[in-house]
């Protein structure tokens, strides 16, 4: 019986506009019979459903955005004639923020560079500015770009992301050092998109009304201030809300808390580029502010959420090749490569006529000699389709030197940039570490890099990574090597003694409550040893119900038990107290063979005096104890144990 209160009185239609028969029931032979092939409405619904998603971006798949306005608040007309940068001009715009490597469904709080893409709907056409939350990039030649992106994604066999593959690419391409230093620092984990800066990164060309030219770099500084997640916070957020950054932006705008960024520019006189001390078009370099200070330009405010995410954000297409009068490209090889590749990616992803979609349309009339193609819906009627023509349709015919061009001469070669006096791959990265980072940031950098290298990075990449960081900064490189080497040692006597002492204290306090008795034979003496775990609220009860006593057992594999609840080790699959683990079964998991025992129960609280909070990840093969969630660059993995912190165990009442 139909509930008339919820029935849509106007109904729905087919894609052709005719009234649809039903959106709830397919056509069948009797109520219990088979459906019929001539149920056109059902077939249309299913056929379209099978095609309703477009390929995700490659890269920058995970992201979101909002609309807003850019206002030019300063006078930079002496540098550019671009309409959007004239004093007092207000321009509608769209911003899209994203991660680089993760897929559409990946957490947006993973450690990564963030995309910062802007589309300005100017009265001279659309201007797209495609940048990141860092002022540099990993590579300077677009030939390397697809190789770089693949190295940050997934292995061909397992389909897993891989630290070894990432470091293999980075250490084989030392120009990555500057960006990797940013990535391994706090900017790899922005607290929110609202609390990160944005940069055009590339060098662009500005042209003023008199035809004078200037090189320029864009800087968008968050008026919310910059804020960052710690590794532990980012890991926790990735597990609790994979869409945190997307949600934060949308809800802030919905509350009326409109995020703002101030735009400043570094401007270099055109002639300076020829003899500047390093290549000003090298995307892996910044221009020191003492050479070219920031000049205020305007402000950007995001004040309107999309009404339809797919139509207005997923189908939004950005390309640095979209310029307007007064703005041009530069000899930056990466910029020139992207000017083609970004637009072409949208032709493949969305379709030939992606530029006709409402979100991508300019606000000015279009008289383009682009015709037909799939899904064309804007057209020029019966006007001539060729230029030149006698039908009265205008065409472009500029000749002579171009306003947004530059001079170049030389033979055709395949080569890296010509080195200048201060061109090197590691110098600016070293300056960032020594003069920009403070002591706490340097300490965090050492922890992060060492932890990442513990995530399966092996010879010869590991040795190259040590050398890579020593080239950035000798002291930091040595600390990273020492930290990683110390963490990978299988028999740390001091750490063992400290953990043994603390475990003994804990065991004596909890004896009779958790049913524990110490068994502390060092694993390197060849003994099997029993890590005591509870997977959650039902873990302790499961041990007691099994009738097994805590303590070392003899031989045999480690069984998997359902832990229940929400313990640190997760839900089901956690080994219970007293199960034996043989170190030889975890040849690839060094963490097990060097840590004597972990006690984690739903009703026992554990605190560490070291950095991070103790975490346990469990699989059917054994137990992995980690005290640092940032050991993996992107997500928790089975990693070697870092130097053991002193541990204090606090007993709470237990009711099994």
């Amino acid at each position: 019986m139909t509930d008339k209160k919820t029935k849509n009185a106007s109904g729905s239609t087919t894609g052709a506009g005719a009234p649809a028969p039903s959106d709830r029931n397919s056509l069948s032979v009797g109520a219990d019979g088979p459906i019929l092939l001539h149920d056109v409405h059902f077939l249309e619904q299913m056929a379209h459903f099978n095609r309703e998603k477009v390929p995700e971006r490659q890269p920058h798949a995970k992201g979101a955005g909002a609309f807003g306005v850019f206002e030019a608040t300063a006078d930079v007309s002496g540098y550019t004639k671009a309409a959007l940068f004239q004093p007092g001009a207000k321009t509608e715009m769209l911003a899209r923020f994203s991660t680089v490597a993760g897929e559409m469904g990946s957490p947006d709080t993973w450690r990564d560079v963030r995309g910062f893409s802007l589309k300005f709907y100017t009265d001279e056409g659309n201007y797209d500015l495609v940048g990141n939350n860092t002022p540099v990039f990993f590579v300077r030649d677009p030939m390397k770009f697809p190789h770089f992106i693949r190295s940050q994604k997934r292995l061909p066999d397992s389909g897993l992301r891989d630290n070894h593959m990432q470091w293999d690419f980075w250490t084989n391409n030392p120009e990555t050092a500057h960006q990797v230093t940013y990535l391994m620092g706090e900017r790899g984990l922005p607290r929110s998109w609202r609390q990160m800066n944005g940069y055009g990164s590339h060098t662009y060309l500005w042209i003023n009304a008199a035809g004078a030219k200037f090189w320029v770099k864009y800087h968008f500084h968050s008026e919310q201030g910059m804020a960052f997640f710690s590794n532990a916070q980012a890991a926790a957020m990735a597990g609790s809300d994979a869409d945190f950054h997307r949600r934060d932006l949308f809800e802030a705008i919905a509350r009326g808390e409109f995020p703002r960024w101030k735009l400043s520019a570094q401007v270099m006189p055109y002639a300076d580029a020829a003899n500047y001390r390093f290549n000003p078009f090298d995307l892996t370099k910044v221009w020191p502010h003492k050479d070219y200070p920031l000049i205020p330009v305007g402000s950007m405010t995001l004040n309107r959420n999309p009404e339809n995410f797919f139509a207005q954000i997923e189908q939004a297409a950005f390309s640095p090749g979209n310029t307007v009068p007064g703005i041009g490209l530069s000899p930056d090889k990466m910029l020139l490569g992207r000017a083609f590749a970004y637009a072409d990616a949208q032709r493949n992803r969305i379709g030939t006529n992606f530029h006709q979609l409402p979100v991508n349309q300019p606000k000015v009339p279009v008289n383009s000699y682009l015709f037909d193609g799939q899904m064309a819906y804007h057209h020029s009627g019966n006007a001539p389709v060729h230029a030149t023509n006698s039908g009265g349709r205008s065409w472009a015919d500029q000749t002579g030197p171009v306003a947004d061009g530059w001079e170049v001469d030389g033979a055709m070669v395949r080569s890296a940039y010509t080195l200048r006096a201060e061109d090197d791959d590691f110098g600016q990265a070293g300056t960032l570490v020594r003069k920009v980072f403070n002591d706490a940031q340097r300490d965090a950098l050492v922890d992060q890099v060492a932890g990442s290298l513990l995530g399966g990075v092996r010879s010869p990449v590991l040795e190259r990574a040590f050398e890579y960081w020593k080239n950035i900064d000798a002291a930091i490189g040595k600390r990273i090597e020492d930290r990683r080497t110390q963490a990978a040692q299988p028999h740390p006597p001091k750490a063992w003694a400290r953990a043994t002492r603390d475990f003994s204290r804990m065991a004596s306090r909890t004896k009779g409550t958790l049913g524990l008795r110490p068994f502390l034979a060092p694993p390197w003496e060849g003994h099997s040893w029993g890590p005591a775990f509870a997977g959650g609220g039902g873990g302790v009860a499961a041990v007691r119900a099994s009738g097994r006593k805590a303590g070392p057992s003899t031989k045999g594999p480690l069984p998997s038990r359902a832990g229940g609840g929400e313990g640190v080790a997760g839900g089901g699959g956690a080994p219970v107290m007293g199960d034996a683990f043989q170190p030889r079964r975890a040849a690839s998991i060094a963490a097990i063979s060097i840590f004597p025992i972990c006690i984690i129960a739903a009703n026992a609280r554990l605190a560490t005096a070291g950095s991070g909070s103790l975490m346990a990840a469990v699989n059917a093969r054994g137990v992995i104890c980690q005290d640092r969630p940032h050991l993996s660059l992107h997500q928790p993995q089975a990693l070697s144990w870092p130097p053991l912190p002193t541990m204090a165990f606090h007993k709470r009442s237990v009711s099994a």
Side-chain angles (χ1 to χ4, degrees):
M1 186 173 183
T2 303
D3 183 355
K4 294 183 178 180
K5 292 182 180 180
T6 61
K7 182 179 179 181
N8 184 349
S10 61
S12 64
T13 70
T14 67
S22 175
D23 291 311
R24 301 178 65 192
N25 298 295
S26 56
L27 183 65
S28 64
V29 179
D32 302 324
I35 64 172
L36 299 173
L37 186 60
H38 68 274
D39 187 352
V40 175
H41 181 54
F42 165 74
L43 296 182
E44 179 186 60
Q45 288 289 314
M46 292 308 298
H48 192 278
F49 175 77
N50 289 339
R51 297 164 175 83
E52 72 179 19
K53 298 302 180 186
V54 298
E56 65 179 36
R57 287 171 169 87
Q58 164 74 335
H60 293 281
K62 181 62 178 284
F67 295 91
V69 62
F70 173 79
E71 182 177 3
T73 57
D75 187 356
V76 293
S77 59
Y79 303 114
T80 178
K81 62 182 180 182
L84 79 159
F85 293 136
Q86 300 312 297
K90 293 184 178 181
T91 305
E92 293 182 49
M93 59 162 299
L94 167 68
R96 183 179 184 271
F97 310 116
S98 60
T99 56
V100 174
E103 297 84 3
M104 176 74 77
S106 63
D108 52 22
T109 55
W110 275 353
R111 180 175 292 276
D112 203 347
V113 175
R114 268 43 181 203
F116 197 98
S117 297
L118 310 175
K119 183 182 292 292
F120 301 93
Y121 301 99
T122 86
D123 58 14
E124 297 177 306
N126 289 354
Y127 174 46
D128 290 355
L129 185 59
V130 182
N132 289 315
N133 71 325
T134 59
V136 294
F137 194 63
F138 295 90
V139 294
R140 59 174 69 100
D141 193 307
M143 187 64 78
K144 294 184 177 183
F145 184 77
H147 301 281
F148 160 68
I149 293 299
R150 293 188 201 108
S151 76
Q152 307 305 294
K153 286 189 170 283
R154 297 183 181 273
L155 291 169
D157 52 359
S158 65
L160 298 175
R161 301 185 74 174
D162 185 68
N163 287 13
H164 181 83
M165 179 168 62
Q166 293 165 357
W167 284 102
D168 189 26
F169 181 89
W170 291 337
T171 58
N172 273 315
N173 295 275
E175 69 267 32
T176 61
H178 200 179
Q179 179 74 315
V180 170
T181 303
Y182 271 112
L183 174 63
M184 293 290 165
E186 60 187 11
R187 294 205 193 188
L189 293 175
R191 175 64 175 74
S192 73
W193 293 329
R194 297 180 296 125
Q195 294 167 298
M196 70 181 188
N197 292 343
Y199 303 87
S201 301
H202 297 284
T203 299
Y204 292 88
L205 182 67
W206 272 2
I207 310 100
N208 68 14
K213 302 175 183 178
F214 305 86
W215 304 113
V216 63
K217 283 184 176 290
Y218 297 104
H219 300 250
F220 290 84
H221 293 109
S222 171
E223 292 193 18
Q224 293 70 236
M226 288 199 295
F228 310 95
F229 276 131
S230 68
N231 283 287
Q233 291 169 335
M237 187 58 71
S240 63
D241 186 354
D243 301 317
F244 175 77
H245 283 165
R246 179 182 291 182
R247 191 184 318 280
D248 174 85
L249 178 67
F250 190 93
E251 292 182 351
I253 293 174
R255 292 192 303 267
E257 298 175 11
F258 303 143
R260 290 169 54 90
W261 288 260
K262 290 182 179 179
L263 171 61
S264 301
Q266 287 180 283
V267 178
M268 174 188 288
Y270 184 80
D272 284 14
N275 298 306
Y276 191 52
R277 50 201 174 100
F278 55 82
N279 189 338
F281 310 115
D282 181 349
L283 182 58
T284 69
K285 301 285 197 303
V286 297
W287 299 352
H289 290 188
K290 67 178 181 180
D291 293 350
Y292 301 101
L294 295 175
I295 298 173
V297 178
S299 64
M300 174 182 91
T301 304
L302 300 182
N303 56 20
R304 180 165 61 91
N305 279 320
E307 296 177 355
N308 185 284
F309 185 89
F310 181 83
Q312 296 177 297
I313 302 299
E314 186 60 21
Q315 291 193 134
F318 302 84
S319 169
N322 290 339
T323 61
V324 293
I327 302 174
L329 306 181
S330 78
D332 177 346
K333 294 180 181 181
M334 277 295 296
L335 176 59
L336 299 177
R338 281 174 165 162
F340 160 75
Y342 274 52
D344 194 57
Q346 306 305 331
R347 296 184 187 102
N348 173 67
R349 196 176 72 89
I350 304 173
T352 307
N353 289 294
F354 72 90
H355 56 281
Q356 294 187 6
L357 294 171
V359 71
N360 299 321
Q361 288 180 25
K363 305 295 185 182
V364 297
V366 174
N367 179 33
S368 171
Y369 281 83
L370 298 175
F371 295 100
D372 303 340
Q374 290 182 330
M375 305 304 291
Y377 57 94
H378 284 314
H379 59 84
S380 53
N382 65 350
V385 295
H386 60 284
T388 59
N389 63 76
S390 303
R393 186 176 187 183
S394 61
W395 65 89
D397 192 23
Q398 296 181 4
T399 60
V402 298
D404 58 354
W406 61 85
E407 304 79 30
V408 65
D409 191 16
M412 291 185 184
V413 299
R414 294 186 182 274
S415 174
Y417 286 127
T418 301
L419 293 178
R420 303 194 184 191
E422 296 187 27
D423 269 332
D424 76 284
D425 293 321
F426 300 104
Q428 289 199 356
T431 299
L432 179 64
V433 168
R434 291 185 295 273
K435 297 185 178 181
V436 179
F437 287 4
N438 57 34
D439 287 343
Q441 291 168 328
R442 282 187 286 270
D443 291 344
L445 176 69
V446 170
D447 283 349
Q448 174 59 42
V449 175
S452 178
L453 294 176
L454 282 163
V457 180
R458 54 196 181 274
S459 183
V461 175
L462 181 60
E463 290 76 17
R464 288 205 311 264
F466 294 150
E467 186 65 23
Y468 180 94
W469 283 100
K470 289 176 183 177
N471 286 333
I472 292 173
D473 182 87
I476 290 293
K478 183 64 164 57
R479 288 177 61 188
I480 289 170
E481 182 177 19
D482 290 347
R483 180 69 56 83
R484 197 282 177 193
T485 301
Q486 182 184 13
Q489 291 298 319
H491 314 313
K494 292 182 180 179
W496 172 263
R498 187 165 60 242
T500 299
R501 178 196 65 208
D502 293 328
F503 173 74
S504 297
R505 292 174 180 172
M506 186 281 299
S508 64
R509 294 173 185 170
T510 60
K511 186 176 181 181
T513 303
L514 293 178
L516 302 177
R517 62 185 180 86
F519 44 102
L520 298 171
W524 55 83
E525 293 181 4
H527 300 288
S528 295
W529 52 285
F533 271 77
V540 176
V543 177
R544 294 181 175 172
S546 71
R548 301 180 63 187
K549 295 181 179 180
S553 55
T554 55
K555 303 295 181 180
L558 178 66
S560 177
R561 300 289 180 88
E566 296 180 355
V568 181
V576 298
M577 296 180 181
D579 288 331
F581 178 79
Q582 300 179 55
R584 70 172 184 272
R585 284 180 50 80
S588 63
I589 308 176
I592 301 305
S593 65
I594 66 171
F595 185 63
I597 192 164
C598 300
I599 305 295
I600 302 178
N603 296 304
R605 185 173 61 188
L606 180 152
T608 70
S611 62
S613 59
L614 189 71
M615 297 171 57
V618 181
N619 61 24
R621 294 172 53 194
V623 180
I624 305 160
C625 295
Q626 297 178 207
D627 84 327
R628 296 182 186 177
H630 60 274
L631 290 180
S632 170
L633 178 59
H634 294 288
Q635 64 253 24
Q637 297 179 6
L639 304 175
S640 301
W641 188 265
L644 288 170
T646 301
M647 296 183 180
F649 295 83
H650 306 284
K651 186 180 75 171
R652 291 166 56 184
S653 60
V654 175
S655 56

